[in-house]
Amino acid sequence: MNIFSVLLKNLRMGPATLRFPEEVPYPKGFHGPVKIHTEKCICCGMCAYVCVSGAVRVAEHKDNCEWVYSPGLCTFCGKCVSVCPVEALHMAAKSAPSYFNTKALDEVHLVPYSPCPECGRPTPPVREVLRAKAFKGVAPNVLVKSLICQRCRQKDSQRALVSIQVKGEPPPSRSDK
Amino acid sequence: MRLIKKLVSMARRRSPWLFHLNTGGCNGCDIEFSACLAPRYDVEQAGILLVGSPRHADILCVTGPVTRGTRAALETIYAQMPEPKVVVALGNCPATCDVFAGSPAIEGPLDRILPVDVYVPGCPPRPHDLIKGVAQAVAILADQQPRDRRIIEGVNQ
Amino acid sequence: MSWEKVFFALLIFPGLLYAVPTAWLMLWLERKFRARMQGRIGPPFYQPFFDFVKLMAKRRVLRPSFDSIFMMGLPLVSVSAGLLALALLPISSDSRGFAGDLVLLVAFLEVPSLCSVLAGFASRSIFGQVGATREAILSITYNLPFLTAIVALAYSAQSLRLVDIAASPAGGVRALAVLTICLCLPVKLRINPFSVSNAEQEIYSGPATEFSGPQLAMWELAHGLEWVALTGLVVCLGLTFRTGTWIGDFAIYTSLSLVLVILLTILATGTARLKIQQAARFYWRWGMGLSLVALILGVFPDIERFIR
Ligand code: SF4
Ligand code: SF4
Ligand code: SF4
């Protein structure tokens, strides 16, 4: 096509430009900054493990865990969202505003631990979603173990081992509290 | 005198000229930046022009973490721009080095080398965000606030 | 010409007061029209004015003294040459001119390009020097047909006065000569396809690369004045009639210049930059051909009569 006829066509059709305050609407599934629902998080650290640029960091403390996110480091790839086993993460539908200081956008969220039903020590929370997903089709006497803390679970296993191997009895059963 | 000041401020608001510099990014931001110049976004409607020489520019748009090879060029270009000038960091690279953080070839982030006025987040940012960031830079350019105050305000935001 | 008239021509019409806003208008029209043809909105009409104010308000970059004299002076010389050239144009029917003003006009029209060659070398930037070299080479190529056309015009009117040429009867010589001058416009204005000397992005901004702030503002203004002067020249030489009233002349002159700006913009938008050899070949083949025919017709008017 002749370039001048193209120019004429452009002239006839008018500009394709958006006037400045006008915006292109955000598409569905837009990858904005990552957001967390702390009440869903189980502090597994998968998001921090897969993050290519270290934008998400998970630090475990005594009675809570710290979920730190710097949008300034994020590549908005969505990897963390797809690996989170309990769907605690999602991406905002809008991009972050421009800022004046590099630390301005950083977010710190604390995920509180819940007490272990057995010993009362703070333990990473276990959510129903995870139990339904990870312990599907498991005998109920094993399923109840998913709620207790790591130490209690170890103790339980040792007790079971001792009763089978040493005493020759079936392991003690536990009822759901 | 007041009138002249007002006129100058108005002119600065209406005719910011950009100089664009990639200091070793992945080129994603540069592509989005080019989209701003294309018919859909057309920044020329706001008087924004992409100039070829830093001597003509008011706003320095930096993309990419500052690599060893580009640092000298970056400093020269910044020095060549006449005052008043502002620096806009486009994308996450100049803000934090993004995926390149920790590489031995990187001298960034940008604020170690130049005073940065506006950061536009995103990897890459949307063209519209770029334009908004530049608009903020233009406001800074027109009002000519002292730099430190702005940064303190930025922290509070 | 009386002094009042000279001052009027220099400072009011078609000088400073008329030419500067018109220069800005033409710069805007060029940008706007190009944007529209590319499907964009383009800048608002006050854009060149605010560009100018902003550039004037920028702080100066200090240079070694000798260079800075050149770098401050050359844009100013360029602007004044543009204004002087405009003041010489025989726009209204009551302008008288003086013997030899054609030569002066041609000289003034050449000053901006000379200035930009000097400026390119004075700025000591490699891009400026490349641009200056290209500008110098190009000015040889386009000035040959341009000057030949002017000579043909002057010879056929038997006068070196612009008024006489403008009043000479329309004919083959005049048509061909004005066509040649039209052909030389894009390269004199440094727009596509002959934007070789200030090749944007290729050698940054050519000779103006190292200029900033007020000096750059002056360059922009000089460029705008070139637009006004050159389109004005074509309109003045090409128009075979005058309305007789001042207002009528003014209106016709301005509107035709603007039409010419639009035509040139269409050309600039639709074409890509040529190489310098291609540009030179174009001017030496087509430009020279046209202007030589005009010259021959001017020297031997019998031929034209014979063809008729
Ligand atoms: S979106 Fe990608 S880069 Fe951003 S935090 Fe998640 S994994 Fe990291
Ligand atoms: S957000 Fe998801 S992946 Fe990250 S620690 Fe919490 S549960 Fe694990
Ligand atoms: S911010 Fe992201 S898209 Fe932009 S240059 Fe850096 S890595 Fe590339």
Side-chain angles (χ1 to χ4, degrees):
Chain A
M1 204 165 25
N2 188 341
I3 178 77
F4 291 103
S5 60
V6 175
L7 295 183
L8 197 72
K9 202 182 95 214
N10 284 344
L11 209 56
R12 232 190 11 248
M13 298 215 307
T17 314
L18 300 168
R19 287 264 169 203
F20 177 43
E22 227 177 304
E23 275 190 58
V24 180
Y26 285 92
K28 232 177 112 195
F30 176 75
H31 280 196
V34 178
K35 296 268 177 264
I36 186 171
H37 289 297
T38 40
E39 74 281 357
K40 283 193 195 161
C41 177
I42 53 167
C43 306
C44 66
M46 273 311 278
C47 47
Y49 179 71
V50 296
C51 181
V52 66
S53 52
V56 172
R57 289 160 315 271
V58 176
E60 291 188 14
H61 298 306
K62 197 161 159 286
D63 47 6
N64 56 19
C65 100
E66 209 180 34
W67 187 87
V68 187
Y69 173 57
S70 351
L73 272 167
C74 183
T75 59
F76 307 100
C77 60
K79 195 91 176 145
C80 51
V81 175
S82 63
V83 298
C84 178
V86 291
E87 277 140 37
L89 299 178
H90 67 278
M91 304 195 93
K94 287 191 169 177
S95 46
S98 37
Y99 53 101
F100 303 97
N101 184 287
T102 30
K103 294 271 179 290
L105 291 185
D106 286 12
E107 285 177 30
V108 179
H109 290 282
L110 292 179
V111 181
Y113 284 175
S114 46
C116 168
E118 192 118 330
C119 60
R121 255 197 226 97
T123 176
V126 181
R127 316 285 184 200
E128 277 312 311
V129 200
L130 182 73
R131 290 183 69 191
K133 236 190 213 170
F135 298 90
K136 199 161 41 174
V138 173
N141 62 337
V142 182
L143 186 61
V144 291
K145 289 191 186 174
S146 66
L147 282 173
I148 57 181
C149 72
Q150 202 180 355
R151 282 172 70 123
C152 295
R153 213 173 307 151
Q154 277 171 351
K155 265 191 208 155
D156 239 37
S157 310
Q158 282 163 4
R159 224 176 280 138
L161 257 177
V162 168
S163 56
I164 296 168
Q165 296 288 319
V166 183
K167 299 185 188 154
E169 308 171 344
S173 68
R174 179 204 292 275
S175 61
D176 210 334
K177 278 177 196 164
Chain B
M1 236 16 239
R2 255 262 229 52
L3 201 73
I4 292 180
K5 247 187 195 158
K6 219 167 166 190
L7 185 70
V8 166
S9 157
M10 231 161 116
R12 283 190 183 139
R13 203 177 276 275
R14 280 176 170 71
S15 110
W17 289 2
L18 311 182
F19 185 82
H20 169 226
L21 178 69
N22 182 347
T23 57
C26 76
N27 214 238
C29 289
D30 307 298
I31 289 169
E32 298 297 310
F33 184 79
S34 323
C36 296
L37 309 169
R40 186 65 168 154
Y41 292 92
D42 184 28
V43 285
E44 204 178 351
Q45 64 178 295
I48 300 173
L49 212 59
L50 182 70
V51 292
S53 160
R55 293 259 189 231
H56 305 180
D58 306 299
I59 298 177
L60 178 62
C61 290
V62 182
T63 63
V66 185
T67 56
R68 259 190 212 180
T70 53
R71 179 178 179 157
L74 176 68
E75 281 170 348
T76 318
I77 282 169
Y78 183 72
Q80 278 179 341
M81 284 171 61
E83 291 278 346
K85 54 189 168 189
V86 291
V87 179
V88 181
L90 296 185
N92 282 345
C93 275
T96 58
C97 295
D98 206 8
V99 276
F100 305 107
S103 156
I106 300 291
E107 303 222 344
L110 184 63
D111 57 0
R112 270 200 217 160
I113 296 152
L114 305 179
V116 183
D117 296 276
V118 180
Y119 292 94
V120 181
C123 181
R126 307 179 81 211
H128 201 89
D129 291 346
L130 295 182
I131 297 173
K132 272 195 225 158
V134 170
Q136 250 160 0
V138 169
I140 291 170
L141 194 71
D143 297 335
Q144 274 299 297
Q145 301 170 5
R147 210 155 248 157
D148 337 356
R149 220 182 82 221
R150 269 195 330 262
I151 289 172
I152 293 163
E153 277 170 5
V155 171
N156 293 341
Q157 268 175 359
Chain C
M1 267 213 284
S2 61
W3 279 113
E4 301 94 72
K5 271 219 164 134
V6 171
F7 274 111
F8 181 77
L10 259 182
L11 294 180
I12 300 183
F13 183 83
L16 206 60
L17 202 66
Y18 165 79
V20 171
T22 317
W24 285 332
L25 183 71
M26 284 183 177
L27 287 179
W28 168 74
L29 195 66
E30 194 246 332
R31 275 171 73 177
K32 180 78 175 180
F33 206 71
R34 189 176 38 182
R36 275 298 160 98
M37 279 192 289
Q38 291 170 344
R40 299 186 284 129
I41 286 186
F45 74 94
Y46 48 66
Q47 195 57 52
F49 168 69
F50 279 127
D51 284 351
F52 182 81
V53 174
K54 178 209 72 181
L55 285 174
M56 287 307 273
K58 291 213 85 152
R59 239 152 282 165
R60 284 215 351 252
V61 177
L62 290 175
R63 307 274 301 192
S65 55
F66 187 66
D67 286 358
S68 76
I69 292 172
F70 263 98
M71 289 180 71
M72 304 237 301
L74 285 170
L76 282 177
V77 172
S78 191
V79 168
S80 351
L83 285 178
L84 286 169
L86 267 167
L88 288 174
L89 286 182
I91 292 162
S92 63
S93 36
D94 63 345
S95 55
R96 309 266 333 114
F98 50 88
D101 57 359
L102 178 68
V103 180
L104 200 57
L105 178 71
V106 169
F108 281 143
L109 285 179
E110 200 43 35
V111 168
S113 118
L114 194 66
C115 279
S116 89
V117 172
L118 286 178
F121 283 116
S123 69
R124 301 197 182 187
S125 117
I126 182 139
F127 305 108
Q129 289 176 1
V130 171
T133 317
R134 290 177 175 192
E135 175 80 44
I137 295 172
L138 270 186
S139 87
I140 297 172
T141 67
Y142 68 72
N143 266 330
L144 264 170
F146 184 72
L147 293 179
T148 315
I150 297 277
V151 169
L153 272 178
Y155 199 92
S156 78
Q158 288 294 325
S159 161
L160 283 178
R161 256 175 196 235
L162 279 161
V163 209
D164 294 342
I165 294 176
S168 69
V173 184
R174 200 155 159 197
L176 284 175
V178 171
L179 194 64
T180 316
I181 297 176
C182 276
L183 276 187
C184 294
L185 281 194
V187 65
K188 268 189 158 301
L189 293 168
R190 288 176 228 101
I191 57 174
N192 270 346
F194 302 110
S195 59
V196 188
S197 69
N198 65 344
E200 215 184 278
Q201 307 300 342
E202 183 191 340
I203 48 170
Y204 297 134
S205 317
T209 302
E210 284 291 307
F211 288 79
S212 63
Q215 298 144 16
L216 184 65
M218 284 298 151
W219 276 131
E220 295 277 314
L221 188 60
H223 188 55
L225 288 177
E226 266 185 286
W227 275 92
V228 183
L230 285 168
T231 51
L233 177 73
V234 169
V235 172
C236 280
L237 293 184
L239 212 59
T240 50
F241 65 93
R242 292 286 184 277
T243 54
T245 58
W246 192 85
I247 291 287
D249 285 339
F250 169 78
I252 288 188
Y253 164 78
T254 309
S255 48
L256 279 184
S257 320
L258 292 182
V259 168
L260 211 55
V261 172
I262 289 183
L263 288 179
L264 283 171
T265 311
I266 294 175
L267 175 75
T269 316
T271 51
R273 185 176 306 140
L274 292 177
K275 276 191 239 163
I276 194 160
Q277 297 95 317
Q278 292 166 320
R281 203 178 303 140
F282 175 81
Y283 278 107
W284 280 355
R285 191 170 292 165
W286 298 105
M288 266 329 269
L290 271 178
S291 60
L292 277 180
V293 173
L295 187 63
I296 290 169
L297 285 183
V299 177
F300 307 107
D302 300 336
I303 301 178
E304 198 181 341
R305 235 169 282 143
F306 179 72
I307 295 172
R308 288 245 175 103

